[in-house]
Amino acid sequence: MFERIVVAVDGSREGGKTVPVAIDLARRYEATVTVVHVREHTKYEGTDVDLGPGVPAEELVADVVRAFDDAGVPARGEIRRVNPGNTPEQIVEVAREIEADLIVMGTRGMTEWKSLVLGGVANKVVHHAPCPVLLVR
């Protein structure tokens, strides 16, 4: 059923809750996993400014991939660098590229109303994904 799973991670404490859920699903379905981290960047006075969490993107993804490997789940990592606001599109694009059967991602605790009004990342992914999306709160 789920042969290829995309796991979107953002480096937040809340987002870290997705990994154990995704490990469980990947084991049950003998799936391969692509861990994707989308890092937003912008320019300020000619300098590239990383808008992501304090941990470097490469380290974040390597740690998550290692967790899957340690659990016996084949995984690879992918980092996308984008302009602010383009995170949902990149998650959906990765899912399309690998022909994912499922996307697993966290929510940042935004209320449903606030997410609908502001257009949260998870909300946009759910509406544009080519496959089912499992949101872990």
Side-chain angles (χ1 to χ4, degrees):
M1 177 177 244
F2 301 124
E3 295 177 16
R4 291 172 300 280
I5 299 173
V6 169
V7 179
V9 295
D10 64 1
S12 69
R13 190 179 82 242
E14 296 86 2
K17 296 175 184 177
T18 62
V19 174
V21 172
I23 287 172
D24 182 55
L25 285 168
R27 280 179 163 168
R28 288 176 193 244
Y29 292 101
E30 299 179 2
T32 59
V33 170
T34 299
V35 175
V36 62
H37 175 64
V38 181
R39 187 62 67 108
E40 294 186 349
H41 285 256
T42 191
K43 294 279 186 192
Y44 178 74
E45 295 184 1
T47 304
D48 186 46
V49 179
D50 184 341
L51 302 175
V55 65
E58 293 77 10
E59 183 179 326
L60 171 65
V61 171
D63 288 347
V64 175
V65 168
R66 191 173 311 108
F68 282 99
D69 288 342
D70 291 348
V73 175
R76 69 177 190 84
E78 187 157 335
I79 299 166
R80 299 281 177 107
R81 288 178 170 75
V82 299
N83 292 324
N86 292 326
T87 296
E89 292 83 358
Q90 289 302 309
I91 295 168
V92 169
E93 185 175 313
V94 170
R96 280 196 179 105
E97 288 172 3
I98 71 159
E99 298 179 350
D101 302 303
L102 178 69
I103 298 171
V104 179
M105 61 186 297
T107 64
R108 294 281 289 236
M110 209 183 265
T111 65
E112 185 177 339
W113 176 249
K114 189 175 180 183
S115 178
L116 288 172
V117 172
L118 298 177
V121 172
N123 187 45
K124 288 180 181 177
V125 170
V126 166
H127 284 90
H128 298 285
C131 59
V133 179
L134 173 61
L135 299 178
V136 180
R137 188 157 166 80

